[in-house]
Amino acid sequence: MAWTRAQLDEALRTLDRDIDPLRAHAADMDAFWSAFDRNARHIQREADGEIWYAAAQIDRMLIRHGLMPRPGVYPLPRRRLPFAPDAGDDDVRAA
């Protein structure tokens, strides 16, 4: 049976509190990510219908702890579309 929202929120708060101790006790970042991933996956499995809520909360905690960049920090490269007119093509119009 899936967790209630209250149970899910409590598990997310516990995971958030455990991030710093996990980092402190992990031999390296691979060990940290392995332990974190194991806990996060358990929460997501129990979230069931609230999976997107749980995933968003996990992303937010990773951002807060500096383990994931905030959206917009690294802008995506913008490529010119293949059908866009060149700078001197004033008479070219899109359909």
Side-chain angles (χ1 to χ4, degrees):
M1 175 149 191
W3 285 343
T4 65
R5 176 61 78 94
Q7 291 171 310
L8 179 57
D9 285 337
E10 181 57 33
L12 289 165
R13 278 191 296 275
T14 299
L15 180 60
D16 194 19
R17 280 191 308 262
D18 289 347
I19 287 178
D20 289 332
L22 275 174
R23 286 180 75 182
H25 297 314
D28 56 20
M29 286 307 285
D30 286 341
F32 163 77
W33 283 115
S34 177
F36 180 84
D37 189 50
R38 187 171 42 254
N39 294 331
R41 284 182 187 273
H42 174 71
I43 290 170
Q44 289 177 322
R45 273 193 306 273
E46 296 298 330
D48 196 34
E50 302 262 14
I51 185 73
W52 296 113
Y53 170 77
Q57 297 307 311
I58 290 168
D59 284 352
R60 286 183 180 157
M61 73 177 69
L62 290 173
I63 290 168
R64 264 194 319 277
H65 287 273
L67 296 167
M68 188 170 116
R70 288 184 329 275
V73 170
Y74 298 108
L76 298 174
R78 294 182 184 260
R79 291 187 28 201
R80 188 176 170 92
L81 296 175
F83 53 82
D86 288 330
D89 295 339
D90 292 334
D91 61 339
V92 176
R93 297 176 57 181

